Amino acid sequence: MKNIILIIAAMFSLNVLAQEGTETKKTEPEDTTRFKVGGLEFIIIDHGDEVDTVLAEGQDIGKDVKVDKDKKKKVDDNLTYWSGFEFGPSILFDKNGGNNIVSPYLELDPAQSFAYSLNLFEKRIPFGTDHVGLVTGLGFTQARYGFKDSYTLTANSDSTWGVLDTTRAFNKNQLRATYLNVPLLLQFNTSKYDSKNFHVAVGVIGGVRINSKTIQKFDVIGKEAKNKEKGIYNLNPFQASATARVGYNDIGLFMNYNLLSLFESGTAEEVYPLTMGISLHF
């Protein structure tokens, strides 16, 4: 009730002031007057023939409009979920989609076998709506395959195999491969607001290998030694992974299954990596 009385009193005062200053206002094409009553702010805009009165609660109307426009633009830009960081464990499947891998040197240690990705660039092409679109971008993945037993990966021009080391027990024995990736994803959004959006994407991630090496760590006289050997090891120069992704806002889950064998055809047993994990988007 007190606020209502204050508003009525303020409006009455304004009316008196407007009548007293009629001659001055007519000489100016437009004038703006602001004053506060308690927590309320009155904005009076004089257009010459008519007067607009705007009531705001302790805020600047002009700034409010600007913030809303900036917020809308930010929301639209954030409806793409490729750029960010991904991490997850990896396993290998045989050519029949099972886990019956014959080659003992390809038996993985789960604790040492994983992949992580840093996706830097993204682009969304909406299909006339924020709810469906095509997503592409650019990123890097390093896949690490840790071997369970003390096998040293060896290769020549047409074959890859493992040699069992009976003199050393490896603390770490990994094959590492780094890829440059480009995705092509069909993405669905449930909301046009990033903070409320549940999103799903399916598609293919194409990649080209840019580096590969093996890392072995072992103890020698109480100290840890390391062997690092760069090599191709007849790894497939390309990868094409079927991917499925789901998330809410900037946190998601992903699954990547490589449609191409890890090694080039005929050089080693056909094995196909599967990686599942969490993604954090920015």
Side-chain angles (χ1 to χ4, degrees), residues 156-178:
N156 58 25
S157 60
D158 58 6
S159 297
T160 300
W161 67 95
V163 177
L164 183 62
D165 191 328
T166 58
T167 63
R168 295 176 295 187
F170 295 123
N171 301 326
K172 179 173 291 186
N173 186 19
Q174 289 181 333
L175 169 65
R176 300 181 181 180
T178 304

Side-chain angles (χ1 to χ4, degrees), residues 97-119:
N99 59 358
N100 186 26
I101 296 175
V102 177
S103 304
Y105 63 90
L106 292 179
E107 187 176 357
L108 297 186
D109 178 1
Q112 297 186 50
S113 303
F114 56 88
Y116 63 88
S117 300
L118 182 61
N119 302 325

Side-chain angles (χ1 to χ4, degrees), residues 168 171-172 216-220 223-227:
R168 295 176 295 187
N171 301 326
K172 179 173 291 186
Q216 295 175 329
K217 293 183 179 181
F218 50 91
D219 294 328
V220 176
K223 295 184 178 181
E224 188 175 71
K226 179 171 71 174
N227 282 341

Side-chain angles (χ1 to χ4, degrees), residues 245-267:
R245 294 159 179 267
V246 62
Y248 182 79
N249 199 346
D250 290 332
I251 301 177
L253 301 174
F254 73 93
M255 180 179 66
N256 298 335
Y257 179 73
N258 206 327
L259 303 174
L260 302 178
S261 177
L262 181 62
F263 298 96
E264 291 189 272
S265 179
T267 62

Side-chain angles (χ1 to χ4, degrees), residues 195-206:
S195 61
K196 301 178 180 179
N197 190 33
F198 181 83
H199 46 91
V200 177
V202 292
V204 177
I205 302 174

Side-chain angles (χ1 to χ4, degrees), residues 9-241:
M11 293 298 293
F12 177 78
S13 300
L14 284 175
N15 187 46
V16 173
L17 291 173
Q19 291 176 358
E20 292 177 353
T22 303
E23 294 297 326
T24 303
K25 291 181 180 179
K26 286 184 179 179
T27 61
E28 297 177 3
E30 181 173 339
D31 187 43
T32 301
T33 303
R34 298 169 179 263
F35 71 96
K36 291 184 178 181
V37 179
L40 300 176
E41 181 180 11
F42 292 87
I43 304 171
I44 304 173
I45 303 173
D46 186 354
H47 300 285
D49 295 330
E50 58 182 9
V51 177
D52 294 337
T53 303
V54 180
L55 177 63
E57 189 172 354
Q59 295 181 350
D60 188 309
I61 296 301
K63 291 181 180 179
D64 288 345
V65 174
K66 183 177 180 181
V67 170
D68 288 343
K69 289 181 179 179
D70 291 343
K71 183 178 179 182
K72 184 177 186 300
K73 183 176 184 298
K74 183 178 180 182
V75 167
D76 291 343
D77 289 346
N78 281 349
L79 292 175
T80 309
Y81 303 94
W82 167 255
S83 66
F85 180 79
E86 300 177 352
F87 175 85
S90 299
I91 58 177
L92 296 178
F93 286 94
D94 60 35
K95 62 181 180 180
N96 297 317
N99 59 358
N100 186 26
I101 296 175
V102 177
S103 304
Y105 63 90
L106 292 179
E107 187 176 357
L108 297 186
D109 178 1
Q112 297 186 50
S113 303
F114 56 88
Y116 63 88
S117 300
L118 182 61
N119 302 325
L120 301 176
F121 306 103
E122 62 183 18
K123 176 65 177 179
R124 180 172 60 94
I125 305 172
F127 293 162
T129 174
D130 285 328
H131 296 289
V132 184
L134 196 64
V135 173
T136 187
L138 189 68
F140 296 89
T141 295
Q142 184 174 96
R144 300 188 177 189
Y145 305 104
F147 303 124
K148 185 175 182 179
D149 296 319
S150 297
Y151 282 95
T152 298
L153 199 64
T154 308
N156 58 25
S157 60
D158 58 6
S159 297
T160 300
W161 67 95
V163 177
L164 183 62
D165 191 328
T166 58
T167 63
R168 295 176 295 187
F170 295 123
N171 301 326
K172 179 173 291 186
N173 186 19
Q174 289 181 333
L175 169 65
R176 300 181 181 180
T178 304
Y179 299 88
L180 174 66
N181 298 324
V182 175
L184 189 62
L185 310 175
L186 181 63
Q187 180 181 295
F188 301 90
N189 298 317
T190 61
S191 173
K192 63 180 181 180
Y193 300 105
D194 180 63
S195 61
K196 301 178 180 179
N197 190 33
F198 181 83
H199 46 91
V200 177
V202 292
V204 177
I205 302 174
V208 57
R209 179 176 47 79
I210 58 177
N211 186 36
S212 56
K213 59 187 175 183
T214 56
I215 299 287
Q216 295 175 329
K217 293 183 179 181
F218 50 91
D219 294 328
V220 176
I221 315 177
K223 295 184 178 181
E224 188 175 71
K226 179 171 71 174
N227 282 341
K228 180 171 67 174
E229 293 289 339
K230 290 186 177 181
I232 298 176
Y233 302 101
N234 294 305
L235 288 168
N236 200 321
F238 304 104
Q239 67 173 4
S241 299

